[in-house]
Amino acid sequence: MPSTLPGYRPAVAVQGAATVPGGSTDGPWRRELLELVRAVSGGLLFGVPLLFTMEVWWTGSHTTPRQMLLVLALLAVPLVVLNLTEGFRSSRDVRFRDAAADSVVAIATGVVVAAAVLVLLREVSFDSPPGDWLGKVVYEAVPFCLGIGVARHFLRGGRSSEAEADGGSDTDGTDRTERNEDLADLGATTIGAAFIALSIAPTDEVPLIASTMTPLWLLLVVAASLAVSYGIVFVAGFAGQERRHGQEGPLQHPVTETIVCYLVSLAVAAFLLWVFQRGLDPPADLLTRVLVLGLPATVGGAAGRLAL
């Protein structure tokens, strides 16, 4: 039965707990899936910048198996502590056994997600020697795992508008409120995208990654960027998710908001590449570099909207 599964938690009514539209609580299997989505989202929010760091790639490719095991073993220590205080589940671990089990899940999730993103960026190829790509994955998984460990922290934030303070009623200023929410989302996306992409845009990693991209691979990057943005804001169960699903306005539908905010993130990426003169030579590579930098910019934009 589901209650005997490792890591299973009884339903706890906390802010951000997984619920379906209309307020009904999800079953244990769906709740477990949503908590894994939250873990992946927390890892992305925390770990994306290091994915574009050449020094981490180099260190990972020159690491011995013994060092990799030591890194994972040492990583388990802060993860157990984080799972006792924060974690990625909607309910906090109170027993050491549960925290240890969730730490194993967090490490496994971080390794899988880091590997998937490195494959997407074409920095990891299974044609490479196993020690080379495995070391890169392990080192890149460290920030991902730490992000998973603090994912529950993002359950607490959320925009506090006057309409919410008044119980959601807004009879005289509906259009104004919708416009304010649209502008707030666009502004938060711009700030969040710039915050993350600003440290990546001046580097050599973006042109290097872009040089390996084919048109089909770029479509996968676009699809992954959109999926990540939608998952972080509308699926992972972070603060304000139910309110976001119920908002009205030209940009407030989940799909519309995701697409528009992705375009804003791309505009921020293009501007930063122009500022640092990383996307102008050759001009034909500009779109490819914008789409590559657009991935971390989109994660930053989603984080910005979570902060509202």
Side-chain angles (χ1 to χ4, degrees):
M1 295 179 63
S3 59
T4 62
L5 293 174
Y8 172 78
R9 303 286 184 277
V12 178
V14 296
Q15 180 186 10
T19 56
V20 295
S24 60
T25 304
D26 290 332
W29 292 106
R30 180 173 174 82
R31 186 165 56 249
E32 188 75 16
L33 177 61
L34 292 180
E35 288 181 341
L36 284 176
V37 172
R38 183 182 305 122
V40 172
S41 300
L44 287 169
L45 290 171
F46 202 85
V48 154
L50 277 183
L51 284 170
F52 290 77
T53 304
M54 195 180 304
E55 288 76 12
V56 179
W57 304 342
W58 184 87
T59 301
S61 64
H62 291 78
T63 300
T64 65
R66 181 177 298 179
Q67 289 173 316
M68 295 180 206
L69 291 175
L70 181 60
V71 167
L72 293 177
L74 293 176
L75 179 60
V77 176
L79 275 178
V80 171
V81 176
L82 288 173
N83 279 314
L84 285 170
T85 56
E86 294 290 348
F88 62 91
R89 299 190 184 277
S90 55
S91 57
R92 184 169 63 88
D93 286 325
V94 294
R95 296 182 299 180
F96 179 83
R97 183 182 64 182
D98 294 333
D102 283 346
S103 298
V104 174
V105 174
I107 291 175
T109 303
V111 169
V112 170
V113 175
V117 178
L118 286 173
V119 169
L120 182 67
L121 297 178
R122 308 200 73 172
E123 182 52 36
V124 160
S125 171
F126 294 104
D127 294 333
S128 305
D132 180 78
W133 63 261
L134 187 58
K136 293 178 181 178
V137 168
V138 168
Y139 271 78
E140 292 288 6
V142 171
F144 272 86
C145 293
L146 295 176
I148 292 170
V150 297
R152 184 174 174 270
H153 173 76
F154 296 103
L155 288 169
R156 300 196 185 113
R159 177 165 36 199
S160 179
S161 65
E162 293 181 4
E164 287 180 296
D166 295 335
S169 61
D170 188 5
T171 57
D172 297 327
T174 301
D175 292 340
R176 177 177 59 81
T177 300
E178 290 174 358
R179 288 195 299 270
N180 289 344
E181 289 176 344
D182 292 341
L183 291 175
D185 284 336
L186 294 178
T189 299
T190 302
I191 294 171
F195 183 80
I196 295 295
L198 189 60
S199 62
I200 302 174
T203 67
D204 292 329
E205 282 81 350
V206 173
L208 180 63
I209 294 172
S211 67
T212 67
M213 292 288 172
T214 63
L216 178 59
W217 217 261
L218 284 176
L219 290 178
L220 292 176
V221 172
V222 172
S225 300
L226 290 169
V228 164
S229 177
Y230 184 88
I232 290 175
V233 178
F234 294 106
V235 178
F238 294 138
Q241 177 176 296
E242 285 189 70
R243 172 185 50 76
R244 287 187 172 278
H245 277 287
Q247 285 176 342
E248 298 180 356
L251 301 182
Q252 295 304 313
H253 187 278
V255 174
T256 305
E257 180 180 325
T258 299
I259 294 174
V260 171
C261 289
Y262 177 57
L263 294 177
V264 171
S265 299
L266 291 182
V268 171
F271 175 74
L272 291 177
L273 288 172
W274 175 78
V275 167
F276 293 107
Q277 301 182 27
R278 306 301 294 175
L280 303 179
D281 184 26
D285 290 344
L286 175 59
L287 177 60
T288 302
R289 296 181 184 185
V290 168
L291 293 178
V292 169
L293 185 58
L295 175 59
T298 300
V299 174
R305 282 180 283 156
L306 285 181
L308 288 177

